[in-house]
Amino acid sequence: MHTYVFSGFVFVFLFSGCSVKPYIPPNQVEALTQQLQSLDTKIPHDEALALSKDVFQTASQLRQTFQRNTPPLVHNFLVNIGAKEKGLCYHWSDALYLHLSKQRYASFEFHLVGANIGEYFFEHNALVVMAKQGKIQEGILIDPWRDKDQLYFSQLAQDREYLWKHRPERGCN
């Protein structure tokens, strides 16, 4: 009897992960929504909320797509030795940029940024959300790669870890 119960538990545990939506903390969605709305007083709350949810959902989907279950630097090592196909920081920022650019958010623009560009072990890439025709320096940094289990976001100017530069050569405006 115990063998059947244990086998059933193992089966459910192994195969239920694909159908379970990841938990996205509502307080984080609301915090990002408020930051997005702070870009311009004309941005509707509903649009900022929709974008916030989209960013969290897409980052979560990318975590599954890139099979990210280790800290960022360990995952990079696995990609670099060929054990994983994708998941470097620019894979994350590019995929997020391509997805969000197709969604037609009326109040927002999306741009790619980089830090330590050209320095193999130290280069880092991310995405910036800004109000239409706003300034990149005033945008909101979205970095789905930096932390293992959480989406990092902040005002670009308040990120003390990196000195960011616009990367129009990577295909953004």
Side-chain angles (χ1 to χ4, degrees):
M1 172 76 169
H2 293 296
T3 303
Y4 293 117
V5 171
F6 180 74
S7 297
F9 174 74
V10 169
F11 179 81
V12 169
F13 178 76
L14 289 175
F15 295 103
S16 67
C18 296
S19 63
V20 175
K21 277 189 165 182
Y23 175 71
I24 299 172
N27 60 332
Q28 290 294 301
V29 171
E30 187 54 37
L32 179 55
T33 300
Q34 289 176 9
Q35 284 195 21
L36 293 170
Q37 274 196 282
S38 75
L39 294 172
D40 190 322
T41 57
K42 295 178 239 164
I43 294 174
H45 181 268
D46 290 348
E47 185 179 8
L49 178 60
L51 175 55
S52 181
K53 287 179 180 179
D54 195 3
V55 165
F56 274 95
Q57 282 292 344
T58 304
S60 179
Q61 289 168 351
L62 289 173
R63 194 171 294 114
Q64 291 175 355
T65 299
F66 297 148
Q67 299 174 349
R68 165 90 172 272
N69 50 12
T70 58
L73 294 176
V74 173
H75 191 85
N76 277 15
F77 172 75
L78 296 172
V79 172
N80 287 326
I81 65 168
K84 299 252 183 189
E85 187 177 332
K86 283 190 169 187
L88 301 176
C89 61
Y90 77 89
H91 293 134
W92 292 79
S93 60
D94 289 4
L96 190 57
Y97 172 79
L98 289 172
H99 170 78
L100 294 175
S101 295
K102 293 176 185 174
Q103 303 310 308
R104 302 187 196 281
Y105 288 102
S107 302
F108 299 102
E109 291 181 13
F110 308 100
H111 294 269
L112 296 170
V113 293
N116 306 314
I117 298 167
E119 297 179 31
Y120 185 76
F121 287 108
F122 301 105
E123 182 172 317
H124 188 46
N125 295 277
L127 175 96
V128 170
V129 178
M130 47 191 265
K132 285 273 188 199
Q133 314 209 330
K135 296 178 182 173
I136 286 197
Q137 298 82 5
E138 297 170 357
I140 305 299
L141 178 73
I142 307 291
D143 189 351
W145 176 89
R146 186 182 303 196
D147 292 327
K148 179 182 176 224
D149 295 324
Q150 291 190 4
L151 177 75
Y152 178 87
F153 59 92
S154 75
Q155 290 181 325
L156 185 69
Q158 291 182 351
D159 184 16
R160 302 290 180 233
E161 195 162 336
Y162 296 99
L163 181 59
W164 296 102
K165 294 181 182 178
H166 188 217
R167 302 222 47 197
E169 78 281 2
R170 292 202 35 87
C172 64
N173 300 327

